[in-house]
């Protein structure tokens, strides 16, 4: 937990050091490789784009490579972690991160692949109920998926209803989302939002959106790429129908790492639901009989297509084991403290340099996680490039936003102080 000096935060190196000393998770930073810039640890604030590598990851991968070398195909049954059921490791490791039951979780494929697989089941449009409601400026891959799914069923872009911010605003009001669902409810097949919008960092009110979708007679799902490992989730309790996520952002599981899926048990147990079928979703007791008729597993595993990508999954397990050691609640608690300090430092900077940066992420705590998105009012790309030259690794999003996200496992209060100190120096020379 952080320390307060004179009952308030201070934008000082002394305050940052005292807060780091009081942080019970501070030792976990040593379990990650921190990139080096200018001969010292970078201020790495882009875990929202690609999380850092756990130091134990290489050992986990080498173990699988050694088992492959030593056992060949026999590794499916005789590896230290037998490959034939390797994917079964993950539901127990993801329940606290998702708020889901183990039977509702499966790790497989990549994010957009999983999104298409889920829409194959849950987007079953009719002539009268065919619309997909989503946020405007959803991540482009999601938008491509939504429209292509509609087109596969013979509909055009009019099937996609995007909820936009009000004029002069950058984030969505929950009442506006609910109103759009109400207006289009009788024609809506699926409501599908991000858990956290990638551009603004806004956390959507998933319980209210889910309830409104169900009242309208629609399914409700989420792309949790920027939510999982970032904000607390209670997917089962919220009665969410389906969700998917990647693992390479806050879950630190490597570029293009294996992704995950949640399907509520009421759907997962329904083996009559249509889906794209593959042999790894087939009844385990019958799988290797190689029979023709598909018999889906009555859990989220029933949506699997292929056997486990073990090397990628080893990277995922290395990271999730660190999450388990640190404790998910502890990580979220520290991330919130880091984020509070980042707000404080940025507001101090805004006072020093008015008219340079506007923060478009909601400050209300339920509406944001780790990420803060800075709208650069002038010279944004130049400032971003200069920050990197001075040791800050952040994230640029066109046309004019710098995203930063301190995460609980490896960022420090000193990182945030250094960032504030560096950006003040950069702005003073603009």
């Amino acid at each position: 937990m952080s320390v307060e000096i004179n009952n308030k935060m201070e934008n000082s190196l002394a305050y940052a050091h005292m807060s780091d000393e009081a942080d019970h998770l501070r030792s976990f930073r040593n379990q990650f490789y921190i990139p080096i810039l200018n001969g010292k640890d970078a201020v790495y604030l882009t875990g929202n784009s690609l999380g850092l590598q756990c130091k134990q990851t290489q050992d986990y991968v080498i173990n699988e490579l050694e088992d492959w070398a030593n056992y060949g195909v026999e590794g499916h049954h005789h590896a230290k972690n037998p490959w034939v059921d390797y994917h079964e490791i993950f539901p127990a490791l993801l329940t606290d991160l998702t708020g889901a039951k183990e039977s509702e979780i499966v790790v497989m494929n990549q994010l957009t692949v999983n999104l298409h697989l889920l829409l194959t089941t849950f987007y079953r449009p009719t002539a009268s109920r065919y619309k997909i409601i989503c946020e405007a400026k959803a991540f482009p891959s999601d938008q491509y998926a939504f429209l292509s799914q509609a087109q596969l069923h013979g509909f055009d872009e009019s099937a996609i209803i995007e909820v936009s911010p009000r004029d002069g605003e950058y984030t969505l009001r929950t009442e506006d989302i609910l109103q759009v669902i109400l207006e289009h409810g009788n024609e809506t097949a699926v409501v599908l939002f991000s858990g956290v919008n990638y551009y603004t960092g806004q956390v959507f009110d998933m319980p209210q959106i889910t309830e409104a979708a169900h009242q309208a007679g629609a399914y409700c799902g989420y792309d949790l790429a920027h939510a999982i490992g970032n904000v607390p989730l209670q997917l089962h309790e919220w009665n969410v129908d389906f969700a998917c996520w990647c693992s390479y952002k806050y879950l630190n599981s490597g570029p293009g790492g294996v992704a995950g899926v949640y399907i509520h048990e009421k759907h997962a147990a329904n083996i009559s639901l249509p889906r794209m079928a593959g042999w790894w979703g087939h009844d385990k007791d019958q799988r290797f009989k190689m029979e023709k008729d598909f018999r889906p597993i009555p859990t989220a595993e029933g949506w699997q297509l292929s056997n486990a990508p073990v090397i990628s999954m080893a990277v995922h397990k290395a990271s999730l084991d660190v999450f388990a050691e640190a404790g998910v609640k502890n990580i979220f608690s520290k991330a919130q403290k880091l984020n509070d300090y980042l707000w404080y430092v940025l507001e101090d900077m805004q006072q020093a340099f008015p008219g340079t940066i506007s923060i478009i992420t909601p400050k209300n705590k339920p509406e944001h996680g780790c990420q803060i998105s800075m709208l650069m009012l002038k010279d944004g790309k130049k400032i971003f490039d200069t920050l990197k030259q001075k040791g800050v690794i952040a994230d640029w999003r066109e046309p004019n936003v710098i995203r930063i996200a301190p995460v609980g496992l490896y960022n420090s209060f000193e990182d945030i102080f250094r960032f504030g100190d560096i950006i003040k120096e950069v702005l003073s020379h603009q």
Side-chain angles (χ1 to χ4, degrees):
M1 86 188 269
S2 62
V3 174
E4 291 191 353
I5 302 173
N6 298 325
N7 295 317
K8 66 178 183 179
M9 293 181 181
E10 289 187 3
N11 187 3
S12 69
L13 185 58
Y15 175 88
H17 282 169
M18 291 182 69
S19 296
D20 284 330
E21 283 297 315
D23 171 26
H24 298 305
L25 297 185
R26 64 185 180 276
S27 64
F28 282 89
R29 179 181 176 91
N30 296 326
Q31 296 192 36
F32 289 84
Y33 290 108
I34 310 297
I36 302 297
L37 284 178
N38 304 327
K40 62 181 179 179
D41 287 354
V43 178
Y44 192 86
L45 295 174
T46 188
N48 59 309
S49 186
L50 182 67
L52 294 182
Q53 183 186 144
C54 309
K55 290 180 179 177
Q56 65 185 18
T57 298
Q58 296 177 36
D59 289 338
Y60 279 53
V61 171
I62 288 171
N63 285 340
E64 301 307 330
L65 294 176
E66 287 179 344
D67 282 345
W68 180 18
N70 293 330
Y71 295 111
V73 71
E74 294 297 310
H76 283 91
H77 298 284
H78 300 298
K80 298 180 188 70
N81 296 303
W83 304 331
V84 72
D85 51 12
Y86 198 97
H87 65 279
E88 295 179 15
I89 294 170
F90 295 101
L93 293 171
L94 287 163
T95 53
D96 286 345
L97 284 161
T98 59
K101 297 183 178 182
E102 291 186 29
S103 64
E104 297 173 323
I105 300 168
V106 65
V107 167
M108 62 183 191
N109 307 317
Q110 271 69 46
L111 174 57
T112 308
V113 173
N114 288 338
L115 181 59
H116 275 295
L117 292 175
L118 289 169
L119 286 172
T120 298
T121 295
F122 293 102
Y123 181 59
R124 309 292 296 176
T126 66
S128 60
R129 188 179 284 275
Y130 61 93
K131 293 182 178 179
I132 298 173
I133 297 178
C134 63
E135 82 254 38
K137 205 172 178 63
F139 194 78
S141 192
D142 288 4
Q143 293 178 315
Y144 305 154
F146 300 158
L147 181 56
S148 64
Q149 285 283 334
Q151 291 171 334
L152 284 169
H153 289 279
F155 298 98
D156 60 21
E157 60 187 15
S158 65
I160 312 302
I161 307 299
E162 297 185 353
V163 187
S164 298
R166 298 184 185 185
D167 290 344
E169 298 181 0
Y170 290 92
T171 56
L172 294 175
R173 300 191 188 190
T174 300
E175 61 263 33
D176 292 347
I177 297 172
L178 302 183
Q179 182 60 35
V180 171
I181 294 173
L182 182 64
E183 289 175 0
H184 295 271
N186 291 336
E187 299 174 301
T188 300
V190 173
V191 175
L192 215 169
F193 275 70
S194 306
V196 176
N197 181 267
Y198 85 99
Y199 189 73
T200 65
Q202 179 184 12
V203 177
F204 292 113
D205 191 332
M206 288 176 268
Q208 280 205 69
I209 293 170
T210 302
E211 182 179 0
H214 289 165
Q215 289 178 351
Y219 288 120
C220 189
Y222 295 94
D223 173 352
L224 301 175
H226 288 267
I228 192 165
N230 177 12
V231 296
L233 299 168
Q234 294 295 329
L235 299 178
H236 180 84
E237 180 182 320
W238 296 339
N239 203 25
V240 172
D241 293 301
F242 65 94
C244 51
W245 58 87
C246 60
S247 68
Y248 50 81
K249 301 179 188 297
Y250 296 100
L251 298 188
N252 311 314
S253 298
V258 68
V261 159
Y262 154 88
I263 301 170
H264 194 283
E265 64 180 354
K266 65 187 175 186
H267 305 306
N270 183 359
I271 62 173
S272 66
L273 280 180
R275 70 196 74 194
M276 301 296 289
W279 80 315
W280 227 249
H282 185 76
D283 180 355
K284 297 175 189 178
D285 292 334
Q286 305 293 321
R287 180 184 291 151
F288 287 98
K289 292 184 178 180
M290 305 299 189
E291 295 175 339
K292 181 178 180 181
D293 294 331
F294 177 67
R295 303 176 190 175
I297 302 167
T299 70
E301 291 182 79
W303 274 259
Q304 293 177 114
L305 299 181
S306 302
N307 54 317
V310 170
I311 305 303
S312 178
M313 285 184 169
V315 177
H316 194 28
K317 187 176 188 305
S319 177
L320 292 180
D321 283 350
V322 177
F323 273 85
E325 182 185 355
V328 171
K329 290 183 180 179
N330 296 331
I331 295 167
F332 287 155
S333 177
K334 179 186 172 182
Q336 184 64 69
K337 293 179 175 70
L338 289 169
N339 188 270
D340 289 345
Y341 190 43
L342 179 58
W343 277 98
Y344 180 85
V345 168
L346 286 174
E347 288 170 350
D348 185 51
M349 180 272 302
Q350 286 179 307
Q351 290 181 7
F353 299 94
T356 57
I357 295 173
S358 176
I359 298 174
I360 62 174
T361 304
K363 190 174 182 181
N364 183 29
K365 287 186 179 180
E367 295 182 81
H368 72 77
C370 297
Q371 177 181 325
I372 293 180
S373 294
M374 304 186 302
L375 180 70
M376 310 306 292
L377 301 179
K378 58 181 180 180
D379 298 327
K381 190 60 166 62
K382 180 181 177 182
I383 292 169
F384 172 79
D385 291 338
T386 307
L387 285 171
K388 184 175 179 181
Q389 292 170 11
K390 293 182 176 296
V392 175
I393 300 180
D395 187 59
W396 175 257
R397 282 293 174 265
E398 295 290 349
N400 52 2
V401 163
I402 295 175
R403 305 185 303 172
I404 47 178
V407 300
L409 274 174
Y410 52 75
N411 280 123
S412 66
F413 290 87
E414 183 178 349
D415 282 337
I416 294 170
F417 171 77
R418 286 178 59 197
F419 168 74
D421 201 43
I422 291 168
I423 196 168
K424 278 187 175 182
E425 179 189 352
V426 172
L427 291 174
S428 69
H429 290 92
Q430 293 301 308

